[in-house]
């Protein structure tokens, strides 16, 4: 089985369409979406419509949860931009998304970790910033009961393409971000996630006889147009990230 793995689209419909075209050219059995779908100063309505029509196996990320649960005066700018524009049917769509999901019977979809949509799986955030997680840290996060039967665990959240093979052969894959190649955050400690280029990112995984392997992929698209759209909304931080891959 071949799976295309998408995550962290963040309303960047130009990047999403470029990735979908690349997926179609490569041929897969299914496309899955790991959440953080709409929040950001770009095109949340159009992105929601595109994905609702495709009806992909999809889970919610922390931004879907925040967008629906937080009061407007407590929302970050990216969530508020989407919340003010989405139609009721689009909000109902994201409200119905599960926090985790199984696909292909041995693949677990999570956004952060199986237990926390804000916690990175393949990175660790410390007072010194964000660093790759150790093998021991990854194994501990994969040891929760809901993840034990999965031969492949798909995660997003940090926007950084990375994968790790556990000692028992299980594979953990973060495909990177379709729509936002870098960001800066101050919780739980100040840190940055930076890919160093403006490309849209996703991954293709292939499973055979219970074993999975994955390939990270990057795709060109009109990131200058996306950056100008962000600037039009007063988001110079997004514009820099979209143009450069640096926060």
């Amino acid at each position: 089985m071949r799976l295309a793995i998408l995550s962290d689209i963040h309303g960047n419909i130009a990047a999403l369409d470029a990735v979908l075209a690349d997926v179609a050219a490569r041929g897969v059995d299914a496309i899955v979406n790991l959440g953080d779908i709409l929040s950001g100063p770009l095109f949340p309505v159009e992105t929601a419509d595109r994905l609702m029509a495709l009806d992909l196996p999809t889970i919610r990320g922390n931004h879907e949860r925040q967008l629906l649960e937080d009061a407007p005066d407590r929302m970050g700018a990216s969530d508020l931009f989407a919340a003010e524009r989405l139609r009721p049917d689009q909000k109902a769509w994201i409200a119905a998304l599960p926090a985790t999901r199984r696909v292909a019977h041995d693949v677990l979809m999570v956004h952060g970790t199986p237990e926390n949509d804000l916690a990175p799986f393949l990175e660790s955030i410390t007072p010194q910033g964000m660093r790759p997680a150790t093998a021991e840290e990854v194994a501990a996060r994969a040891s929760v009961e809901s993840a034990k039967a999965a031969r492949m665990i798909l995660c997003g959240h940090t926007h950084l393409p990375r994968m790790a093979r556990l000692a028992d052969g299980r594979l953990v894959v973060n495909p990177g971000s379709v729509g936002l190649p870098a960001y800066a955050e101050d919780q739980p400690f100040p840190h940055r996630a930076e890919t160093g280029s403006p490309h849209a990112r996703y991954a293709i995984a292939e499973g055979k006889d219970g074993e999975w392997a994955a390939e990270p992929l990057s795709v060109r698209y009109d990131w200058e147009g996306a950056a100008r759209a962000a600037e039009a909304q007063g988001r110079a931080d997004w514009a820099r990230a979209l143009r450069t891959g640096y926060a």
Side-chain angles (χ1 to χ4, degrees), residues 67-68 82-96:
L67 190 156
L68 293 172
E84 290 178 339
R85 288 160 176 80
L86 293 175
R87 302 189 308 264
D89 63 311
Q90 295 172 326
K91 291 183 178 179
W93 172 64
I94 61 174

Side-chain angles (χ1 to χ4, degrees), residues 28 80 94 156:
V28 299
L80 185 62
I94 61 174

Side-chain angles (χ1 to χ4, degrees), residues 39-40 67 71-86:
S39 293
L67 190 156
D73 61 356
R74 296 188 57 213
M75 285 185 185
S78 293
D79 290 336
L80 185 62
F81 184 91
E84 290 178 339
R85 288 160 176 80
L86 293 175

